[in-house]
Amino acid sequence: MTLIIVGILLVGYFLIATEHLNKLNKSSVAMFLGVVAWILYGINGAEYVQAMHGTEYDAFLHGLASTQSSLQEFIASHLFMQYVMNACQVILFLIATSSIIEILNANEVFDFLAVWMRTRRSKELIWTLSLVTFLLSANIDNLTAAVTMVMVMRKLVPQVKHRFYYSCVILMAANAGGCFTAIGDTTSLILWTKHAITPSQFAQGLALPAIVAMAVTTFLASRKLPEHIELRSSLGKFSGDDYILPAWQRFILFVVGILGLWAIPTFHSVTGLPPFVGALCVTSMLWVLIQLFTWKRMDVVNTLPKSSFSVDVRTSDTSQILFFMGITMAVGAISETGALSTFANFCDQYIHNIYILTVIFGLVSSVLDNIPLMICSTSMYQVIDANSLNAMADAGYMAAFVQNGQYWELLSFCTAMGGTLLTIGTVTGFSVASLERIPFLSYINRFAWMVLVGWGAGLLVYYLFDYVF
């Protein structure tokens, strides 16, 4: 039965990786995988439960004999729901943070970026877009950051042929910026909720490699641009779902939104509550401020049309949420069969090198969405207690799996940069490519090698600081 479940998962992953060819929505494939995997797991559930959770199941029975009904109840309440609860923490966080950005964008908070960036010098513009996207993605999820900056870029650059490298750099900078903070990407958020990282140590370990990867790739892309480009004659007016707020009100919204996002790790550390609670708190604060700022015109505001940005982000986030839930369910079923532990033992025995292992995962993430890859790779290993290392036979290697260990940091970095090698490697890449209609082969021929060079430069910096300094 384990081979059947693994085989179905591999077929599903193949369909997800080839979504651009088979036209099957990957969210529907992921949800189907999750349901089928747990149905098949339940067929052979008695064997799996006894092998993986024998002691827990005996305690659950309280001395009574095992029955089919008690087995199903244990699987549903103690195993299945545990994966659902873990997924819901991430999902609620994504919903809250995307709502924060929608509120800010709907009230023109980011529109000043288009005015500030306006320049005909193409190299200056691409560096500005890259840096702002990088910083923005470190504080909000990279999908929202990328879509925001693509909209800003469109307000500046009218000709599609000039937007290719700008769009590609925005995609790369969003993934690079999101990989080194706990709230910047779904993958790093998975590590945080697993307690594999702490926000401050994680950022310290990956900030410089991420900056180097972004800078090297941007430098290479900037060399392909002409000296000057044509800009739009005017930026136009906002046509979102709210009236134009005074500058001081927009500034307050920006400060509350960004500082609120920065404060989420501290909120979690002080209160012990899950990160999504802090994100929901920031969302509610922004909504209260909006109501205070617009209460005289609330009826008018509610009748105005939604902005295109809000529709784009909401649609993408809904699909991503369903995709994430389905993959979490599917990988959970595989994990409960013991297959991932077996594969981890194989990697430990025959690869036994954290750099090689994470680079392989990164290359795989270029064709397979990095979210399912991250869920699989984090499920392969448990976070090891640093105090127990001395009792282990290979303490030097196993030290990579302690909290804030090399494995978790390199996994985040490599899946982010590896996922940027192709536009199908991340939901951010797929969204940017769809918005700007970036040809798949053109991206590979003209930009993928730049990402590879930047990825290598970032890895070299990480290695030097890890082993030399």
Side-chain angles (χ1 to χ4, degrees):
M1 186 59 71
T2 301
L3 291 177
I4 295 175
I5 299 175
V6 172
I8 291 176
L9 185 69
L10 292 176
V11 171
Y13 273 16
F14 174 77
L15 294 175
I16 290 171
T18 57
E19 180 189 21
H20 61 293
L21 299 175
N22 57 47
K23 306 304 179 183
L24 291 174
N25 185 281
K26 65 180 180 181
S27 298
S28 62
V29 174
M31 293 296 292
F32 182 78
L33 282 179
V35 173
V36 171
W38 277 101
I39 291 175
L40 295 176
Y41 177 88
I43 294 174
N44 204 39
E47 180 180 338
Y48 292 135
V49 168
Q50 287 297 335
M52 301 286 290
H53 303 280
T55 304
E56 297 175 46
Y57 186 48
D58 291 339
F60 173 78
L61 293 173
H62 296 294
L64 300 175
S66 176
T67 63
Q68 184 64 26
S69 177
S70 63
L71 179 65
Q72 291 176 344
E73 183 182 352
F74 179 81
I75 292 174
S77 61
H78 285 67
L79 303 183
F80 177 76
M81 285 306 300
Q82 186 62 45
Y83 289 99
V84 172
M85 289 168 59
N86 291 337
C88 285
Q89 289 191 56
V90 178
I91 288 171
L92 286 171
F93 186 90
L94 292 175
I95 292 174
T97 53
S98 63
S99 297
I100 291 170
I101 303 308
E102 283 192 38
I103 291 171
L104 296 180
N105 190 80
N107 291 278
E108 295 188 279
V109 172
F110 295 118
D111 278 20
F112 73 92
L113 292 175
V115 178
W116 174 57
M117 293 180 183
R118 188 174 175 82
T119 176
R120 293 189 66 248
R121 292 191 290 271
S122 59
K123 291 180 173 57
E124 179 181 332
L125 179 60
I126 198 171
W127 274 103
T128 305
L129 284 169
S130 181
L131 288 171
V132 173
T133 304
F134 183 85
L135 294 175
L136 193 62
S137 181
N139 296 284
I140 62 178
D141 84 274
N142 51 2
L143 171 62
T144 309
V147 173
T148 300
M149 295 309 297
V150 166
M151 296 302 178
V152 170
M153 178 198 63
R154 284 180 171 183
K155 293 180 180 181
L156 295 172
V157 185
Q159 297 186 7
V160 176
K161 66 178 182 179
H162 289 157
R163 297 207 299 251
F164 175 82
Y165 283 111
Y166 295 123
S167 303
C168 293
V169 164
I170 287 173
L171 163 59
M172 176 278 305
N175 286 338
C179 78
F180 81 96
T181 64
I183 62 173
D185 190 6
T186 305
T187 54
S188 54
L189 186 60
I190 292 170
L191 294 174
W192 189 20
T193 56
K194 184 183 173 69
H195 304 292
I197 62 170
T198 56
S200 56
Q201 291 296 320
F202 184 67
Q204 290 176 20
L206 282 184
L208 188 57
I211 291 172
V212 169
M214 177 273 296
V216 169
T217 309
T218 304
F219 171 76
L220 294 174
S222 67
R223 294 174 61 85
K224 299 292 183 179
L225 298 174
E227 287 298 322
H228 298 89
I229 59 169
E230 179 184 347
L231 298 180
R232 292 190 188 276
S233 57
S234 63
L235 295 178
K237 293 186 178 181
F238 177 74
S239 58
D241 63 347
D242 211 335
Y243 75 103
I244 298 176
L245 296 176
W248 68 271
Q249 292 181 347
R250 284 179 284 159
F251 179 74
I252 291 176
L253 291 177
F254 178 80
V255 171
V256 172
I258 298 301
L259 291 184
L261 289 168
W262 286 351
I264 290 174
T266 303
F267 176 90
H268 169 67
S269 177
V270 172
T271 65
L273 295 171
F276 74 84
V277 179
L280 290 173
C281 180
V282 178
T283 306
S284 64
M285 291 171 61
L286 285 175
W287 267 340
V288 169
L289 283 174
I290 290 296
Q291 290 174 342
L292 291 176
F293 291 159
T294 63
W295 68 273
K296 289 184 178 180
R297 301 185 59 179
M298 194 61 67
D299 292 337
V300 176
V301 169
N302 291 335
T303 61
L304 292 177
K306 300 293 182 183
S307 67
S308 60
F309 173 88
S310 298
V311 175
D312 290 337
V313 172
R314 189 179 297 112
T315 302
S316 299
D317 281 347
T318 300
S319 179
Q320 186 179 14
I321 286 168
L322 294 175
F323 176 68
F324 181 80
M325 177 60 78
I327 289 298
T328 301
M329 291 164 55
V331 173
I334 293 293
S335 180
E336 291 299 328
T337 65
L340 291 180
S341 298
T342 302
F343 183 66
N345 292 334
F346 174 85
C347 293
D348 293 342
Q349 181 177 356
Y350 293 101
I351 299 178
H352 203 71
N353 185 291
I354 298 302
Y355 282 85
I356 296 176
L357 181 61
T358 52
V359 167
I360 291 174
F361 286 151
L363 292 173
V364 173
S365 72
S366 66
V367 294
L368 176 67
D369 191 292
N370 63 348
I371 291 176
L373 183 67
M374 175 62 78
I375 295 174
C376 278
S377 52
T378 53
S379 300
M380 285 170 53
Y381 297 97
Q382 298 299 316
V383 182
I384 295 176
D385 184 0
N387 296 324
S388 64
L389 282 177
N390 294 331
M392 296 183 177
D394 194 358
Y397 176 74
M398 299 308 294
F401 301 98
V402 301
Q403 189 177 60
N404 297 312
Q406 290 176 330
Y407 177 74
W408 314 113
E409 293 180 347
L410 286 172
L411 186 63
S412 178
F413 180 71
C414 289
T415 54
M417 296 305 299
T420 314
L421 284 175
L422 302 178
T423 55
I424 60 174
T426 62
V427 67
T428 304
F430 186 80
S431 299
V432 172
S434 299
L435 287 171
E436 286 298 298
R437 298 182 180 179
I438 299 175
F440 183 74
L441 292 179
S442 181
Y443 183 92
I444 295 175
N445 294 331
R446 299 168 62 186
F447 190 71
W449 69 271
M450 301 181 187
V451 176
L452 191 61
V453 173
W455 181 13
L459 273 178
L460 179 61
V461 169
Y462 186 92
Y463 176 83
L464 290 175
F465 273 82
D466 193 29
Y467 287 100
V468 178
F469 300 107

